[in-house]
């Protein structure tokens, strides 16, 4: 999938981004700040995937979202 970089546009997207970061951190047993770094500085997953796909992703289960993000991190070789 090709995604353009998008900025967070509203409070719902911001809350969803935080939800994603916190839940991936909890699943991996690391600090949320490390996940934020992994999704922003070490990759473009936040602006290139989570934000652009918000409308679809936020309708999925927490488990699906966390699994999807972790799988994408692994595909891109992003380490935390």
């Amino acid at each position: 999938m090709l995604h353009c970089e998008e900025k967070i546009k509203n409070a719902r997207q911001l809350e969803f981004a935080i939800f994603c970061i916190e839940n991936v951190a909890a699943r991996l047993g690391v600090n949320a700040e490390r996940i934020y770094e992994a999704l922003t500085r070490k990759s473009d997953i936040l602006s290139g995937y989570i934000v652009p796909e918000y409308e679809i992703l936020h309708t999925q289960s927490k488990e699906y979202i966390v699994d999807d993000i972790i799988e994408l991190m692994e595909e891109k070789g992003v380490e935390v």
Side-chain angles (χ1 to χ4, degrees):
M1 280 186 188
L2 292 175
H3 301 286
C4 61
E5 285 203 7
E6 287 191 31
K7 299 228 183 281
I8 293 171
K9 296 181 178 110
N10 56 50
R12 287 190 325 268
Q13 287 183 350
L14 178 59
E15 288 172 4
F16 181 69
I18 293 167
F19 166 86
C20 291
I21 291 164
E22 289 179 344
N23 283 285
V24 169
R27 170 80 67 82
L28 297 178
V30 299
N31 186 297
E33 188 173 330
R34 286 178 59 189
I35 298 302
Y36 176 77
E37 295 256 328
L39 300 181
T40 57
R41 292 197 179 97
K42 294 182 180 179
S43 73
D44 67 343
I45 295 172
L46 185 65
S47 64
Y49 180 66
I50 295 171
V51 175
E53 299 299 327
Y54 165 77
E55 291 300 328
I56 295 167
L57 282 174
H58 88 277
T59 65
Q60 304 300 316
S61 70
K62 177 173 80 170
E63 290 75 21
Y64 175 88
I65 293 165
V66 171
D67 289 344
D68 195 45
I69 293 169
I70 291 171
E71 185 178 311
L72 186 57
M73 290 170 68
E74 289 170 353
E75 284 174 18
K76 291 181 172 265
V78 178
E79 295 182 12
V80 290

